[in-house]
Amino acid sequence: AVLTAGFVIGGDGTDTLLIRGIGPTLAKFNVGGVLATPMVTVFDSTGKAVATNTGWGGDATLAAAFTKVGAFSLPATSADSAVLLTLPAGSYTVQVASTNGSTGIALVEVYEVP
């Protein structure tokens, strides 16, 4: 009951990414059975968690990043999750799971922030 996606940052530098775990807001797109309490966790190639979030909380910096990358908005009080982070080149994995062990439909998104 874990959604997993992988991505690679190429080159020698760093890249700023917006990573979201969407569950509750999918209902506004007529998706049923959504994951009510998603938690997003980003892991590096050694398996170390480098970022995690449960409930993005309406953070203004995250909201600005949503707009900047063209992602749909999330209600400020939604339980959807999001992280904004700068990572060095390498391989990464994102997992979206429930905070309380429940199951449901979720979406993982990875955006490069210009």
Side-chain angles (χ1 to χ4, degrees):
V2 175
L3 174 60
T4 304
F7 64 92
V8 174
I9 298 173
D12 297 326
T14 61
D15 211 351
T16 300
L17 303 174
L18 170 65
I19 301 172
R20 306 194 316 172
I22 309 298
T25 299
L26 292 176
K28 81 177 192 179
F29 299 104
N30 298 318
V31 176
V34 299
L35 184 63
T37 57
M39 174 176 63
V40 65
T41 306
V42 181
F43 298 92
D44 67 14
S45 62
T46 69
K48 176 184 171 194
V50 296
T52 191
N53 178 260
T54 56
W56 77 285
D59 179 271
T61 302
L62 286 169
F66 299 171
T67 301
K68 193 170 196 176
V69 300
F72 59 84
S73 64
L74 301 174
T77 58
S78 78
D80 299 295
S81 299
V83 294
L84 183 65
L85 66 165
T86 300
L87 297 170
S91 301
Y92 297 89
T93 303
V94 180
Q95 291 186 339
V96 177
S98 173
T99 62
N100 62 11
S102 64
T103 61
I105 296 172
L107 173 67
V108 63
E109 301 174 325
V110 180
Y111 297 94
E112 182 178 32
V113 180

